[in-house]
Amino acid sequence: MAILGSIIKGIIDISDKVIPESNPLEEQEEVLKSLLEKAKDTQFGKHYDFNAILESENPATLFAEKLPYFDYNSINEAWWSKLHEGETDVTWPGTPHYFALSSGTTGKSSKRIPVTDEMVDAIRMAGIKQVGALAHFDLEPDFFEKEIMMLGSSTDLAKRNGHEEGEISGISASNIPFWFRGYYKPGEDIAKIEDWDERVQHIAEKAEEWDIGALSGIPSWIELMLEKVIEYHNLNNIHEIWPNLQVYTSGGVAFQPYEKSFNALLGKPITVIDTYLASEGFIAFQARPGTDAMKLVTDNGIYFEFVPMNPDYINQDGSLVQDAPVISLADVEEETDYILIISTVSGAWRYLIGDTIAFTNKERAEIKITGRTKFFLNTVGSQLSVNKMEAAVQELEEQFDIKIPEFTIAAKRNPEDDEFYHYWYLGTETSVSNEELADALDKSLQEANKNYGVARSKALKGVFVNTVNPEIFYEWSGANKKKGGQVKMEKVMNEEKFAEWEEFVQKQLTN
């Protein structure tokens, strides 16, 4: 009998019953007031007169009126850059002990996003809330005695000018509670290895010594790790070495595009729980079964605002136009795409995180990620969001019984007729012709998206598809950024980046 597991499960069950039902609207009001109160004497707080906002009858309204929207470039240039010059109390009291490095999915140089001690605590508390939510899932007591494989970036953080920096998954893993370290795999020594391939090789070599019950990480890199373990031990599936694997906590991107290829590595079904941890904070997690939506963390250091998704509100560089309308949590509508804006205990204010979301359940504050503002393809009016692209790709998987874990797309002129076409690269191994795939993809998108259908009848002349081994996508990430961690493949490229991609693909195919 799993005695320890029964105790832990009992504690989680009791805690879930004791904790009262949350009120997301009231929680958000309190979070905003707390953020303003703590930051009112910072340079930023004095500049935007946080005291006046706090004393107003409607702080949320005045907050939205007085503060502009920021993206990384604008807030870094005006404010966060001062931190690197030794200034203190800039956008948050004191100076941050950490900076999260994030190249995102666009841009060649890493962003340096402040991570305060309050944010480290907030991420930890959100993780504890997520563990508490496991009471809603049908997990046996022995699950709570198994080990957890957390596959992120290296925990060997770089020391620089009085702070430490690394990817947010590495910062979080380096701050795990002492009582959790016995459960945590691959362990501190392997987790510090910077080189992704070397780290995964060590994981494969040690895999049979561990009793893994849960996995956590970005789907693409988790898949590659599982494939390496399976190959190294000459297995049919991962359950032959980790028979007690029951849960996968996905994060960083939507899991659905990877579902088919991921399940092919398993010997039996497991519970998939979505999370939304970004470099800027722990945004949301799946709190109950029966849905793939995630509950916003509304009581823990992040204040949310929402801008309706409209191409007219987005500048060419992906930033927001300053007169874009904003909506509070109280006024959102379900199944409507919004651009997510956050203010946090790390001193991010009205910050464009770059993701679009939609509410599936307003009362529960449950959301799903629908795309990226920079991944919104609107050349010649096609208005394609990432979730529409992913849904069409999933239809291809079902129609042709193939796996397509990765893809990228660009809109560009065909030199033969000087007309616009969509050029797709699908990461898949199949004998289905490119022409068949292009035709099916085009039909699927026209049926699902009215704007795309209109564009196809006018300025968008057609679709081209090329299929390549999915490994090429991961090698591209390795060549342009690095493998593993929070690195994600860009789904939409501009013509310049796409030309680099096609050149890279050709080199890989000829080597």
Side-chain angles (χ1 to χ4, degrees), residues 311 313-321 373-374 379 494:
Y313 300 154
I314 303 174
N315 294 314
Q316 190 67 32
D317 63 359
S319 63
L320 278 177
V321 299
T373 53
K374 290 185 178 180
T379 306
N494 60 28

Side-chain angles (χ1 to χ4, degrees), residues 252-254 256-257 276 294 307-309 334-340 354-360 366-373 375-377 384-391 407 491-492:
V253 297
Q256 286 84 349
Y276 186 2
M294 297 174 286
V307 173
M309 180 58 195
E334 294 180 3
E335 302 303 333
T336 298
D337 282 358
Y338 294 103
I339 299 165
L340 186 61
D355 291 325
T356 61
I357 60 97
F359 283 84
T360 59
E366 289 182 340
I367 64 162
K368 58 184 177 183
I369 301 171
T370 57
R372 297 280 294 172
T373 53
F375 288 173
F376 190 80
L377 188 61
L384 274 185
S385 59
V386 168
N387 62 321
K388 293 288 196 304
M389 300 175 201
E390 290 175 342
F407 69 85
K491 301 298 187 186
V492 176

Side-chain angles (χ1 to χ4, degrees), residues 1-294:
M1 180 180 178
I3 297 175
L4 178 60
S6 296
I7 294 171
I8 296 172
K9 180 174 172 60
I11 292 171
I12 290 173
D13 288 342
I14 291 171
S15 299
D16 181 64
K17 291 179 174 65
V18 170
I19 296 173
E21 279 293 315
S22 65
N23 184 319
L25 299 182
E26 292 180 359
E27 290 170 348
Q28 281 288 275
E29 288 179 10
E30 290 303 313
V31 166
L32 177 59
K33 290 178 183 177
S34 176
L35 291 173
L36 294 170
E37 184 66 38
K38 289 181 179 178
K40 65 183 181 183
D41 294 323
T42 63
Q43 297 180 39
F44 191 93
K46 291 176 181 177
H47 181 83
Y48 288 105
D49 199 359
F50 280 9
N51 274 319
I53 298 174
L54 282 164
E55 292 169 3
S56 67
E57 292 184 4
N58 193 330
T61 299
L62 189 57
F63 177 73
E65 291 175 356
K66 288 179 73 72
L67 273 69
Y69 297 119
F70 289 96
D71 61 4
Y72 174 78
N73 291 331
S74 58
I75 198 170
N76 185 62
E77 182 178 342
W79 297 99
W80 288 348
S81 59
K82 297 180 180 183
L83 295 168
H84 301 293
E85 297 167 0
E87 295 191 34
T88 189
D89 298 331
V90 179
T91 63
W92 193 256
T95 55
H97 289 157
Y98 302 97
F99 281 82
L101 300 181
S102 172
S103 58
T105 43
T106 57
K108 294 182 179 179
S109 60
S110 289
K111 301 173 183 177
R112 284 182 163 81
I113 299 166
V115 180
T116 61
D117 290 344
E118 290 92 335
M119 179 56 76
V120 172
D121 290 341
I123 291 173
R124 184 185 295 120
M125 286 303 299
I128 291 172
K129 289 176 182 288
Q130 183 185 14
V131 171
L134 292 176
H136 303 150
F137 295 82
D138 186 21
L139 298 171
E140 294 298 324
D142 65 350
F143 167 76
F144 297 94
E145 295 186 351
K146 305 307 177 187
E147 295 161 326
I148 300 175
M149 171 68 71
M150 297 172 60
L151 191 66
S153 55
S154 170
T155 58
D156 189 17
L157 306 177
K159 292 179 173 58
R160 175 172 173 163
N161 299 330
H163 67 262
E164 294 182 277
E165 58 186 33
E167 290 186 16
I168 192 65
S169 57
I171 293 172
S172 299
S174 68
N175 282 279
I176 60 174
F178 73 91
W179 54 265
F180 181 67
R181 291 176 184 174
Y183 294 92
Y184 165 59
K185 295 296 179 247
E188 294 181 55
D189 291 340
I190 295 177
K192 286 182 178 179
I193 298 173
E194 181 68 28
D195 182 81
W196 160 262
D197 294 314
E198 182 183 351
R199 197 179 338 146
V200 171
Q201 178 65 30
H202 279 272
I203 290 172
E205 292 171 1
K206 300 280 283 186
E208 61 186 352
E209 300 177 18
W210 302 328
D211 187 6
I212 302 297
L215 302 170
S216 177
I218 288 180
S220 55
W221 303 113
I222 287 285
E223 280 193 24
L224 287 180
M225 181 273 291
L226 294 179
E227 288 171 356
K228 183 66 175 179
V229 173
I230 290 169
E231 176 189 12
Y232 184 84
H233 293 278
N234 194 27
L235 309 173
N236 294 310
N237 60 71
I238 198 63
H239 276 108
E240 291 184 0
I241 195 168
W242 293 333
N244 294 309
L245 176 61
Q246 297 182 57
V247 171
Y248 169 47
T249 301
S250 176
V253 297
F255 175 69
Q256 286 84 349
Y258 300 91
E259 186 172 11
K260 189 166 186 176
S261 56
F262 186 89
N263 288 341
L265 302 174
L266 308 178
K268 55 187 176 184
I270 65 175
T271 299
V272 177
I273 301 174
D274 277 317
T275 63
Y276 186 2
L277 172 63
S279 298
E280 295 82 2
F282 201 144
I283 308 294
F285 61 86
Q286 184 181 340
R288 60 191 178 96
T291 177
D292 58 1
M294 297 174 286

